[in-house]
Each structure stands twice: as structure tokens, then as C-alpha cells.
Amino acid sequence: MSRRRRFEGWVCVVTGASSGIGRRVAVDLAAEGATVCATARRADRLAQLVAELGGASHSWMGCDVSQEADVRALAEHVERVHRRCDALVNCAGYPGSARFEGPSAVASTESVMATNFLGAVRCTAALLSLLEAGTGAVVNVASVAGRIAVPGSSAYTASKFALAGWSEALRAELAPRGVRVSLVEPGFVPTEGFPATGLRAHPLLRLLLRPVEDVSGAVLRALSTGAPEIVVPAWYRAFVVGRTLAPGLYRRALERVGRHRPAV
């Protein structure tokens, strides 16, 4: 007898699916029986991904989550093609790693927030009625940078702090409506958008890196269990605890990193 796959019959929308964590999540969900709607800005990659997933049930749609019209069109596509949405995985994001250097930093910060934070807000809002009618699971892929500041990436850090706080509040708000919200917080994960060049070249710091498969596994675990928060790897949580228990030491260490931080 064949094993029943975890997400058989589910319709799952995955943003940021053209590469990195989002792509891996889409592949792993399909392998576990889900029907995947893959979305990102690079349509050519999405078409290739869906062809690799196999089966006519999967779909893709080009969408820039920072654009309200694109997100609205995505929701219409999901309703028209799939008639339901059991899970939304918000993976879309980019680093925005430039330092804060004055007036020009305002526009770059707004741009990062529009994708990394408001993109998840827009997609969740647009698909909420379908999620309420389905299994009702939302997983927001944030970062440990949503709990611990990253000098040199203030805009990225702000977007992930916002996503973490919003996810916690939203979980409580949507629970009575049958929608579970989970937060996955990876540490350093080398991808096309986040190459982690400096860390990969360092003999010790490269030990901090984790593969996309680990993060995808955490996303699927969050979807199946409804866990409120998963840190990848789990021992990274020690940094968050240390920030709370020794704030002075944490800030001194942060300032030192700010002066000498390698490119990631």
C-alpha cells in the first residue's frame, strides 16, 4: 500500500517560487501531494518549475507582491483555476543590504518593506476568504534577522522584524476564523538572492550556513502541525535568548559587528 502523502488534496500558493527557499518549498509540497500555484516576478522560471513538478493540476502566475494589482490578479487566478486555497507560503523577499546613508535610504527602505513585509500582508489579505474556506494555513518565512538586528542591513532587518510581529498578532486574530499562522525564521541560508559570499569564504563562519532543504522542511512541518514559530537551525534561538538576558553585551557585540561585518 502506498504511503499517503501529507498534503494530498491541498492547494498551496507559494510566493518567491522562482528560486531559493520558495522554489524548494514548491518542489517539496508537490512531492507531498499538494497542488502548487507558484508565483514570482520571473515568469520564465515559473513555467520551467511547474513543468518539472509534473501534472496538469499545478499552475503558475507572474506576480510582483509589492504591486496591489498583481496580487489582486493572483487571487483571481487561484479562485478561477483552483477554486480554493488551503495554504499560503510567503517566501518572496530580497536583501536590501545597503547601509543607511541618508535621504536615498528612504526609498530603498520603502522598496524592501513593500516586498518583504507588505507583500506578505497583501497576499494574505487577498487570499483570506479562500483560506477560510480551505485548510487555512499561512506560513511567513521571515528570518532570525527579525529577532536580532543585522548591521549593514537595516531595511532588511526592519522588514523581518515587522513580519515577525505581524505574524504573532495575526495568529491570534485569525485563529477564531480557522486560519493558522506560522512563522519560520531561518538563519544564514545561501541562495541566489542571498549568496552569503563572505560567510562561505570564512573557515568558521561558514558553519553558520544551512541549506534551503532545512528551511523547506521547517515550512512543511509548520503547515502540518500549525507550530507558531520555528527557528532554523533550532540552536539559533540561543542568540534571541541572549539578546533578552544580556542586552548590554548584545549591543556591544552588535556595534563591533557593525564596524567589521563581512559581506553576506
Side-chain angles (χ1 to χ4, degrees):
M1 182 180 295
S2 61
R3 176 182 69 90
R4 176 174 173 79
R5 294 180 292 180
R6 272 188 288 176
F7 302 107
E8 201 80 49
W10 286 39
V11 173
C12 300
V13 177
V14 182
T15 74
S18 61
S19 65
I21 294 170
R23 191 183 199 283
R24 185 74 244 176
V25 169
V27 169
D28 290 347
L29 280 171
E32 286 288 347
T35 294
V36 174
C37 174
T39 184
R41 290 180 300 172
R42 294 176 289 191
D44 55 333
R45 294 196 177 194
L46 295 175
Q48 180 181 357
L49 168 62
V50 169
E52 291 175 11
L53 297 181
S57 61
H58 305 298
S59 74
W60 63 269
M61 183 173 183
C63 174
D64 181 345
V65 298
S66 71
Q67 302 300 312
E68 184 67 38
D70 280 18
V71 174
R72 189 163 52 248
L74 171 64
E76 292 169 355
H77 166 88
V78 174
E79 185 168 20
R80 182 178 68 255
V81 174
H82 301 289
R83 305 293 182 185
R84 60 184 292 148
C85 180
D86 296 284
L88 166 64
V89 183
N90 287 306
C91 292
Y94 72 102
S97 58
R99 288 179 176 272
F100 194 87
E101 296 290 357
S104 63
V106 175
S108 62
T109 300
E110 288 177 340
S111 178
V112 173
M113 292 291 287
T115 295
N116 295 8
F117 171 52
L118 291 174
V121 173
R122 290 187 188 92
C123 290
T124 304
L127 291 167
L128 184 56
S129 61
L130 293 176
L131 287 163
E132 289 178 311
T135 302
V138 177
V139 175
N140 294 322
V141 178
S143 169
V144 172
R147 303 295 188 184
I148 301 172
V150 180
S153 298
S154 57
Y156 178 79
T157 298
S159 71
K160 295 303 184 179
F161 263 76
L163 186 57
W166 178 71
S167 297
E168 288 186 4
L170 192 67
R171 180 179 176 88
E173 289 181 16
L174 295 186
R177 299 166 68 172
V179 178
R180 300 171 300 166
V181 178
S182 300
L183 185 67
V184 171
E185 297 166 304
F188 292 109
V189 180
T191 64
E192 180 183 339
F194 299 76
T197 306
L199 293 179
R200 291 164 76 177
H202 196 284
L204 292 179
L205 293 180
R206 65 186 179 189
L207 298 176
L208 298 174
L209 301 174
R210 305 305 301 170
V212 292
E213 289 81 4
D214 285 8
V215 185
S216 179
V219 169
L220 268 62
R221 190 160 71 251
L223 286 173
S224 60
T225 67
E229 181 180 9
I230 301 177
V231 178
V232 185
W235 61 265
Y236 266 55
R237 188 177 292 278
F239 295 128
V240 181
V241 174
R243 180 189 189 280
T244 303
L245 296 180
L249 180 62
Y250 160 77
R251 289 188 175 88
R252 288 195 294 275
L254 209 62
E255 290 170 3
R256 182 173 180 181
V257 171
R259 290 192 296 269
H260 307 290
R261 178 195 172 203
V264 297

